[in-house]
């Protein structure tokens, strides 16, 4: 079984709909992240969480919210989806530690299309 | 200026060739450097960390030049399976915040 899973893998929705993307991990990591990837651009950080009680905004948090339900679960919500939120979304986890050891492990991604 | 810049490619090389990618970064305070590999429509996976003294992992060699703020990745004896996009990744203002380049695409042909 994959260490980091994301559901759904693909989703097509309409403008204005509320969407939730879910991420689960079995790696036992405290740190979890949500990124989006657009063609020609690098991955950009939306939100991150260092533990269940810690939630922080990344560089592009507007229009998104998150919930850390447990150490193993981190959900991303789009309250009112808009077409420019069409992208590939990745969840990632890491164990923390020093800069050279805090490797991030990514889930398989969710392809979201907002019509 | 982008925080991490890479030539998007594609680099189209025959099997067995040696190919090198460079990446430049803007934050002189960055401490961590990585190369990730991403196959089409798949998740990024860590290829290797980049250490100050340079490091090698099989056919892959990574180098860091702090003075010029660039990182390189050398792939020797290219395989068809090396075809992928290679992402240069640098930490930002703290260890957790990774800045991803947009990637360099490599195509290895038979």
């Amino acid at each position: 079984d994959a260490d980091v899973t994301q559901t759904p893998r693909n989703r097509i929705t309409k403008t204005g709909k509320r969407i939730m993307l879910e991420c689960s991990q079995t790696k036992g990591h405290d740190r979890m992240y949500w990124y989006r990837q657009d063609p020609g651009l690098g991955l950009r950080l939306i939100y991150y969480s260092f533990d269940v009680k810690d939630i922080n905004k990344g560089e592009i948090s507007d229009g998104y919210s998150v919930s850390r339900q447990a150490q193993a679960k981190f959900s991303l919500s789009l309250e009112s989806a808009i077409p420019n939120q069409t992208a590939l979304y990745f969840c990632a986890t890491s164990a923390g530690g020093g800069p050279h050891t805090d490797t991030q492990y990514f889930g398989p991604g969710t392809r979201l299309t907002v019509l | 200026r982008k925080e991490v810049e890479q030539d998007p490619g594609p680099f189209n090389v025959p099997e067995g060739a040696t190919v090198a990618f460079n990446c430049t970064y803007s934050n002189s305070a960055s401490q961590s450097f990585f190369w990730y590999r991403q196959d089409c429509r798949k998740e990024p996976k860590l290829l290797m960390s980049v250490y100050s003294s340079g490091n090698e992992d099989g056919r892959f060699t990574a180098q860091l030049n702090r003075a010029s703020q660039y990182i390189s990745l050398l792939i020797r004896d290219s395989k068809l399976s090396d075809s992928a996009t290679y992402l240069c990744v640098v930490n930002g203002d703290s260890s957790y915040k990774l800045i991803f380049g947009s990637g360099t695409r490599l195509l290895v042909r038979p």
Side-chain angles (χ1 to χ4, degrees):
Chain A
D1 289 338
D3 294 322
V4 185
T5 58
Q6 293 183 233
T7 56
R9 295 293 311 280
N10 290 281
R11 182 70 184 269
I12 299 174
T13 191
K14 294 182 179 180
T15 297
K17 293 291 188 181
R18 184 177 187 276
I19 297 297
M20 179 180 285
L21 309 183
E22 298 187 347
C23 176
S24 295
Q25 53 113 347
T26 58
K27 299 186 77 68
H29 289 168
D30 286 327
R31 298 183 176 188
M32 298 187 74
Y33 312 79
W34 274 105
Y35 293 89
R36 66 176 280 176
Q37 186 175 36
D38 298 276
L41 299 178
L43 277 77
R44 291 181 292 167
L45 183 63
I46 305 172
Y47 270 95
Y48 64 98
S49 169
F50 280 1
D51 64 40
V52 175
K53 297 180 181 179
D54 177 77
I55 301 289
N56 302 282
K57 293 182 177 181
E59 62 179 297
I60 54 163
S61 59
D62 288 348
Y64 302 94
S65 62
V66 291
S67 174
R68 184 81 184 265
Q69 301 95 323
Q71 186 207 33
K73 296 184 182 297
F74 193 35
S75 300
L76 176 72
S77 293
L78 287 68
E79 297 301 325
S80 180
I82 56 177
N84 77 359
Q85 291 177 312
T86 293
L88 185 55
Y89 289 83
F90 287 106
C91 173
T93 74
S94 71
H100 290 293
T101 58
D102 197 19
T103 301
Q104 294 190 15
Y105 298 87
F106 287 81
T110 294
R111 187 166 296 278
L112 177 67
T113 302
V114 183
L115 301 176
Chain B
R1 180 186 174 189
K2 289 183 180 179
E3 292 184 80
V4 178
E5 294 202 62
Q6 297 182 250
D7 180 342
F11 286 63
N12 192 323
V13 303
E15 271 189 292
T18 295
V19 61
F21 310 135
N22 287 330
C23 160
T24 58
Y25 62 95
S26 61
N27 186 351
S28 60
S30 294
Q31 295 294 317
S32 305
F33 310 91
F34 309 91
W35 284 102
Y36 276 71
R37 170 192 168 130
Q38 185 175 26
D39 293 295
C40 187
R41 296 174 181 266
K42 297 289 182 74
E43 72 273 25
K45 293 183 179 179
L46 179 67
L47 178 65
M48 58 196 304
S49 299
V50 185
Y51 299 113
S52 297
S53 56
N55 47 299
E56 186 174 307
D57 183 1
R59 298 182 293 109
F60 299 85
T61 300
Q63 296 281 352
L64 169 64
N65 184 320
R66 286 188 184 272
S68 300
Q69 294 181 211
Y70 80 80
I71 307 151
S72 65
L73 177 68
L74 181 77
I75 305 175
R76 292 181 298 277
D77 188 23
S78 298
K79 311 292 184 189
L80 295 176
S81 57
D82 292 335
S83 296
T85 297
Y86 291 83
L87 307 177
C88 175
V89 184
V90 176
N91 81 309
D93 51 18
S94 60
S95 63
Y96 65 85
K97 186 180 177 183
L98 298 183
I99 310 298
F100 287 77
S102 55
T104 297
R105 191 172 173 210
L106 172 65
L107 301 173
V108 181
R109 63 182 187 271

